[in-house]
Amino acid sequence: MKIFLDTANLDEIRKGADWGIVDGVTTNPSLIAKEGKPIEEQVKAICDIIDGDISAEVVAIEAAAMIEEGKKLAKIHKNIVVKLPLIREGIKACKALSSEGIRTNVTLCFSAPQALLAAKAGAYLVSPFVGRLDDIGHVGMELIEQITAIYSNYDYKTQVLAASIRTPIHVVDAALAGADVATMPFKTLDMLFNHPLTDKGLEQFLKDHAKSLAKS
Ligand code: G3P
């Protein structure tokens, strides 16, 4: 499973990149707004740090305008994936951009029929939001299971990007469900490292090593 960072913060992206395990980045208009820079500038800077898929989202809500905006975003860097909302106009724009070879990420997906439409429209990625479904009392991960099963039944090429991932358990469950990608905030990625037995074991190894040095 590929690991993406769900952030537009360059410090976080640099830290993740340093670890060598970040395959890409997803952004959305809220994450871009937090950084206070125009989207073109921010995603270009992200592309300079990570050599992988970098999602940049349109803010237009009408297909023709989405297509125009998407083409501009795609020109920023070869790794840009144009993010489009899963609405009627977004699906129409997805079909048009995909037909021209521009890679798309259909976002704000909350149901299996929506995911089917994204695949039919030739999306490169679909982003089902796990955490936000959990927030309203659903089991968000069931959606990932449904989509991976449906896509596998028909050999759809659209990759399932588990989004709105917030905990290490989400990451594990997404991997078990066969998600192609999990995108997560830096904080969640950082938590994946943690285990008290690792810390305890390392402490003991270092103590024993120091003792053996003292003896020699
Ligand atoms: O970028 C889309 C998604 O991952 C947002 O997550 O935590 O705001 O629901 P969250």
Side-chain angles (χ1 to χ4, degrees), residues 5-7 26-31 57 83 105 107-108 110 127-133 135 161-166 183-185:
L5 273 174
D6 194 28
T7 181
T26 48
T27 68
N28 62 39
S30 309
L31 294 170
E57 189 161 346
K83 219 170 165 187
N105 174 356
T107 188
L108 290 169
F110 291 96
S127 291
F129 279 28
V130 174
R132 291 193 195 183
L133 280 168
D135 290 344
L161 184 158
S164 190
I165 290 287
R166 298 176 185 162
T183 191
M184 64 202 75

Side-chain angles (χ1 to χ4, degrees), residues 34-215:
K34 271 214 261 182
E35 303 308 314
K37 295 264 171 62
I39 184 167
E40 296 78 8
E41 192 181 320
Q42 199 65 23
V43 296
K44 170 78 180 62
I46 296 171
C47 290
D48 289 343
I49 303 171
I50 298 273
D51 184 19
D53 294 338
I54 312 296
S55 288
E57 189 161 346
V58 303
V59 286
I61 51 167
E62 189 269 320
M66 284 175 170
I67 294 167
E68 198 187 323
E69 203 183 331
K71 283 182 181 174
K72 276 189 197 150
L73 290 172
K75 278 196 186 124
I76 297 172
H77 194 279
K78 66 176 174 46
N79 288 345
I80 294 289
V81 178
V82 176
K83 219 170 165 187
L84 302 158
L86 210 159
I87 56 176
R88 287 169 181 79
E89 294 291 295
I91 289 297
K92 198 170 149 186
C94 176
K95 180 74 186 183
L97 289 170
S98 304
S99 310
E100 290 191 37
I102 292 176
R103 295 175 312 147
T104 56
N105 174 356
V106 177
T107 188
L108 290 169
C109 173
F110 291 96
S111 76
Q114 287 182 325
L116 189 56
L117 296 176
K120 299 281 297 177
Y124 171 68
L125 294 164
V126 67
S127 291
F129 279 28
V130 174
R132 291 193 195 183
L133 280 168
D134 290 354
D135 290 344
I136 60 159
H138 290 249
V139 180
M141 204 52 69
E142 284 176 3
L143 178 57
I144 304 294
E145 290 163 6
Q146 288 179 341
I147 300 172
T148 53
I150 292 168
Y151 282 10
S152 148
N153 283 348
Y154 297 98
D155 203 20
Y156 284 124
K157 300 293 175 237
T158 304
Q159 294 177 53
V160 181
L161 184 158
S164 190
I165 290 287
R166 298 176 185 162
T167 65
I169 293 290
H170 275 160
V171 178
V172 171
D173 287 345
L176 287 170
D180 300 286
V181 189
T183 191
M184 64 202 75
F186 179 81
K187 189 180 149 206
T188 309
L189 178 63
D190 191 49
M191 283 194 281
L192 300 185
F193 286 93
N194 298 342
H195 200 288
L197 291 180
T198 304
D199 299 339
K200 196 177 163 203
L202 180 61
E203 197 187 332
Q204 190 63 51
F205 288 157
L206 295 179
K207 261 188 207 159
D208 293 342
H209 174 67
K211 268 189 233 159
S212 74
L213 281 184
K215 275 185 208 156

